Amino acid sequence: MSTIEQFRHETRAWLEANCPPLMRTATAEGELVWGGSQVEFPSDDARLWFERMRDKGWFCPDWPLEYGGGGLDAERLAVLEGELRRLKCRPPQINLGVWMLGPLLLEYGSEEQKRSLLPPMARGEVRWCQGFSEPNAGSDLASLKMAARDAGDHFVVDGTKIWTSYGDKSDWMYALVRTNPKAAKHEGISLIVLDMRSPGVKAAPIDLISGKSAFCQVFFDGVQVPKGQLIGPLDGGWSLAKRLLQHERKAMSKFGEISLPAHFHLLPLLREYLPQPSTQGEHALYARAVANAMDEHAYGLTVQRMGEEARAGEDVSGLMAIMKLTHTEQERDKFEVLLDALGVHALGWQGEAFSDQQLAITRGWLNSYALTISGGASEVQLNVIAKRVLGLPEAKKADGQKGAAV
Ligand SMILES: Cc1cc2nc3c(=O)[nH]c(=O)nc-3n(C[C@H](O)[C@H](O)[C@H](O)COP(=O)(O)OP(=O)(O)OC[C@H]3O[C@@H](n4cnc5c(N)ncnc54)[C@H](O)[C@@H]3O)c2cc1C
């Protein structure tokens, strides 16, 4: 048996023995485990699964051992991911630090930053939030204004961030700040990390019409951030932000699979509710469902191909925008077909009158729209693809300025 087959054999055996049966089922509403100092477990099995994966170093399987990772190479990582999918294992924890900041720190962090920030992240002890968007800086992120003023051995941070998911529940934030207001728009920005318990930080939840919201607006009033918490070069944060957004897009292209309470398979549901299509409209629904299922299959194959290309040492970073765009739009289209086909059987809100399926589809449907915006809206992904993948010239706005694309 080759060493890689040996690894597959051992991994499969370990997962069979250590992933509790309940953790091999679709995640029900509210059952995602967010790592961090206030981690909560919906069940004993969720705690066990979290602890076992943590102790194995498999929250971050491909990070180096010295920073708390599992030390797996790309080939072994692919085996592990395949085995996790095969057993339909739930993610043991969700953490923006692991998905986005960690990989960036491995590339750009100082040795001291790697040693202090990565191991707690890899143990799921710190919950991270992302402080990028501001009231007037979303798609056009480089317009951000939150200022970090040089005050000797520390920065003084003033301003506000908005749409910060779980800002009120997070321990630390990575944030883009303006460190040089006189420099050109993209050149005076830096990336810092900060403790959300620092004096002067206030996270205010934002109420949404749905009644449920992870969003916060976070206010910073004279917050002191030690200089050692600057990541990468001063005023050089824009290229780090672009790199981090690639990691975010990679995570987002996978998120649909794990954020939904259940993975809905369109065609079986359609057959259940519409076993004998007769009208033109009903046949059209089947045609849309088949097209969506084919797209989903093609997407899965492309993910596999990308994995193989990455393992062969090819640079696949430019494809992240394509994958994020494709996956989030496919998920949204899938829910649109579901809603058109199932009608009232797919719509529900709080209350006993509605089935779990109605609630799950309605939430999934609304969430599918949110996922086409977060991590950069679809239109922005199209701009990124045009510019960075296809190499097309940048569009000019009506006023002659360059268009925005992260
Ligand atoms: C679920 C969710 C979670 C989020 N979590 C976070 C978070 O944790 N931290 C954080 O910092 N932010 C977060 N965001 C914010 C997110 O990054 C922004 O919403 C996003 O970048 C869009 O910015 P905006 O809302 O200001 O919209 P705008 O930038 O005002 O865009 C409005 C519309 O105009 C379109 N548009 C804008 N510019 C162009 C252009 N140049 N060409 C074509 N069309 C354009 C957009 O596509 C969009 O349809 C989250 C958003 C969502 C939905």
Side-chain angles (χ1 to χ4, degrees), residues 19-90:
C19 182
L22 190 63
M23 294 296 104
R24 303 180 200 184
T25 58
T27 316
E29 170 95 16
E31 282 190 352
L32 287 177
V33 174
W34 292 83
S37 63
Q38 298 168 47
V39 60
E40 284 176 16
F41 299 101
S43 64
D44 289 345
D45 279 357
R47 176 193 288 276
L48 259 185
W49 182 224
F50 178 96
E51 289 173 352
R52 287 172 178 170
M53 287 291 274
R54 175 196 64 197
D55 296 345
K56 190 90 177 150
W58 281 358
F59 282 167
C60 320
D62 55 341
W63 290 10
L65 293 169
E66 67 262 39
Y67 304 131
L72 299 189
D73 59 20
E75 210 175 356
R76 284 173 175 73
L77 176 68
V79 169
L80 172 62
E81 287 180 346
E83 291 303 315
L84 286 165
R85 266 198 306 276
R86 201 183 63 85
L87 272 186
K88 298 193 170 59
C89 301
R90 291 186 189 182

Side-chain angles (χ1 to χ4, degrees), residues 65-322:
L65 293 169
E66 67 262 39
Y67 304 131
L72 299 189
D73 59 20
E75 210 175 356
R76 284 173 175 73
L77 176 68
V79 169
L80 172 62
E81 287 180 346
E83 291 303 315
L84 286 165
R85 266 198 306 276
R86 201 183 63 85
L87 272 186
K88 298 193 170 59
C89 301
R90 291 186 189 182
Q93 70 142 358
I94 306 288
N95 202 319
L96 298 197
V98 169
W99 282 352
M100 299 174 210
L101 182 66
L104 190 83
L105 282 175
L106 285 169
E107 275 183 89
Y108 297 97
S110 66
E111 191 52 35
E112 203 181 328
Q113 287 168 342
K114 288 183 201 171
R115 293 206 177 273
S116 63
L117 297 172
L118 291 177
M121 216 182 262
R123 288 194 299 271
E125 291 168 358
V126 179
R127 183 164 177 177
W128 286 84
C129 62
Q130 173 166 297
F132 278 17
S133 308
E134 294 184 10
N136 290 309
S139 302
D140 187 12
L141 187 57
S143 294
L144 64 94
K145 290 209 162 48
M146 190 160 102
R149 187 171 45 80
D150 191 329
D153 63 347
H154 63 275
F155 297 106
V156 176
V157 178
D158 287 289
T160 185
K161 292 288 172 186
I162 200 163
W163 312 127
T164 317
S165 302
Y166 302 105
D168 54 342
K169 297 190 168 58
S170 296
D171 302 304
W172 277 66
M173 170 188 272
Y174 52 90
L176 288 175
V177 287
R178 190 155 294 283
T179 34
N180 185 351
K182 293 195 184 113
K185 191 170 154 184
H186 293 82
E187 285 161 21
I189 294 172
S190 300
L191 182 69
I192 57 168
V193 294
L194 60 97
D195 189 333
M196 291 294 278
R197 284 158 304 190
S198 310
V201 179
K202 185 170 166 267
I206 301 174
D207 289 333
L208 293 187
I209 195 166
S210 64
K212 273 185 80 163
S213 161
F215 291 135
C216 285
Q217 180 160 8
V218 186
F219 299 92
F220 299 82
D221 183 8
V223 179
Q224 295 193 8
V225 176
K227 286 261 176 82
Q229 290 172 206
L230 169 75
I231 310 293
L234 184 70
D235 297 342
W238 188 246
S239 11
L240 271 72
K242 284 194 288 187
R243 188 77 183 118
L244 194 137
L245 286 169
Q246 281 178 352
H247 292 304
E248 175 167 20
R249 279 160 200 158
K250 185 174 169 197
M252 295 290 304
S253 64
K254 287 187 182 170
F255 195 63
E257 293 162 22
I258 56 170
S259 63
L260 301 175
H263 189 68
F264 291 103
H265 294 286
L266 250 186
L267 282 168
L269 270 169
L270 206 54
R271 278 192 213 104
E272 189 183 331
Y273 283 88
L274 207 61
Q276 284 168 329
S278 54
T279 65
Q280 238 180 357
E282 288 171 354
H283 282 294
L285 277 175
Y286 265 89
R288 283 166 64 196
V290 169
N292 189 273
M294 285 166 67
D295 285 348
E296 202 168 80
H297 187 63
Y299 176 82
L301 292 175
T302 312
V303 169
Q304 267 180 31
R305 180 168 59 80
M306 267 176 64
E308 280 160 23
E309 284 172 2
R311 278 194 291 289
E314 285 182 41
D315 178 14
V316 293
S317 55
L319 299 180
M320 293 311 163
I322 300 180

